[in-house]
Amino acid sequence: MKTKIVENFEKVIYKDKESYFLNGKLLLERTFSKFNETISFVVLSSRDFDIKNIEDIVDKIGKLKSYYSIDIVFVVGNEEVLEALNNTYKDRFYKGIISERLNAPAFASFKCGLKAVSPFACCAFLVYANRKLENFNILLKMVEEKDGEIVIPVIDNKKSHPILFKKNLLKEIITLRKEKGIPYLLRRYSDKIVYLNL
């Protein structure tokens, strides 16, 4: 379907693409059929909070908005950090939760964050805020991986970060004991993991 917006400026919708043309030249094109799917990110920052690193992570996640609805849950260590996040992102609806126990394994914070993810999420990323987050193209490839319930990127022959968990596992993960930890979780579901070479 072609729509004339103003003189020499048109919008064309065809299948799952929306394209904008000025004087017949393509200006912008995006896929919009996946907007009904939400991707959740559980960003763990209970220790070593660094707002610059958080901003970099959120910036990379934000680039996925052309393809999906985005849901971000920050799990932090205290009220002061929560307030800093609220001030930084007061114009955006991100969720912030204080971790139940600071010295507990990261899995306890991940479970805490999973309880707050969108009920419409098709998957949830486990993101460590003190590690570099690769570019959004990698995140997109991980979401679109069809074979695994857990997707782990492999960059330069090394297992990398973040880890993606598909919707089918999220409720089950929440019921596991907190002290088990992420390594236990990955061993338990080893048959459901896909390592995505990038």
Side-chain angles (χ1 to χ4, degrees), residues 71-86:
D71 170 53
I72 300 177
V73 179
F74 296 105
V75 183
V76 299
N78 57 54
E79 288 282 348
E80 188 179 317
V81 171
L82 193 58
E83 189 175 329
L85 282 170
N86 287 336

Side-chain angles (χ1 to χ4, degrees), residues 39-180:
I39 301 176
S40 289
F41 291 82
V42 178
V43 181
L44 305 185
S45 186
S46 296
R47 302 176 210 144
D48 304 321
F49 178 74
D50 181 346
I51 193 65
K52 293 288 181 200
N53 209 36
I54 293 281
E55 287 174 333
D56 183 59
I57 287 169
V58 170
D59 182 54
K60 287 184 174 118
I61 290 171
K63 291 179 180 171
L64 288 170
K65 286 183 179 176
S66 295
Y67 304 90
Y68 296 94
S69 294
I70 300 300
D71 170 53
I72 300 177
V73 179
F74 296 105
V75 183
V76 299
N78 57 54
E79 288 282 348
E80 188 179 317
V81 171
L82 193 58
E83 189 175 329
L85 282 170
N86 287 336
N87 289 335
T88 303
Y89 296 112
K90 56 188 162 199
D91 60 333
R92 299 183 215 175
F93 184 69
Y94 297 148
K95 293 168 252 180
I97 298 170
I98 296 174
S99 182
E100 293 171 0
R101 291 182 301 162
L102 283 182
N103 296 321
F107 183 52
S109 293
F110 183 48
K111 278 183 59 173
C112 187
L114 280 180
K115 291 175 186 173
V117 302
S118 167
F120 306 108
C122 64
C123 58
F125 278 94
L126 164 61
V127 180
Y128 293 104
N130 61 353
R131 294 190 197 169
K132 183 183 174 189
L133 187 66
E134 298 297 336
N135 67 51
F136 88 102
N137 287 325
I138 290 174
L139 302 179
L140 196 57
K141 285 178 185 175
M142 290 175 72
V143 173
E144 293 178 345
E145 170 59 50
K146 302 296 182 208
D147 295 329
E149 293 295 311
I150 299 173
V151 183
I152 299 175
V154 176
I155 301 170
D156 297 328
N157 296 317
K158 292 181 182 174
K159 292 176 196 171
S160 191
H161 165 258
I163 301 172
L164 175 75
F165 296 88
K166 300 284 179 75
K167 183 176 188 170
N168 298 354
L169 286 182
L170 298 183
K171 285 183 182 174
E172 189 175 340
I173 290 170
I174 289 172
T175 66
L176 295 176
R177 286 172 29 208
K178 294 174 190 169
E179 61 273 13
K180 292 294 188 182

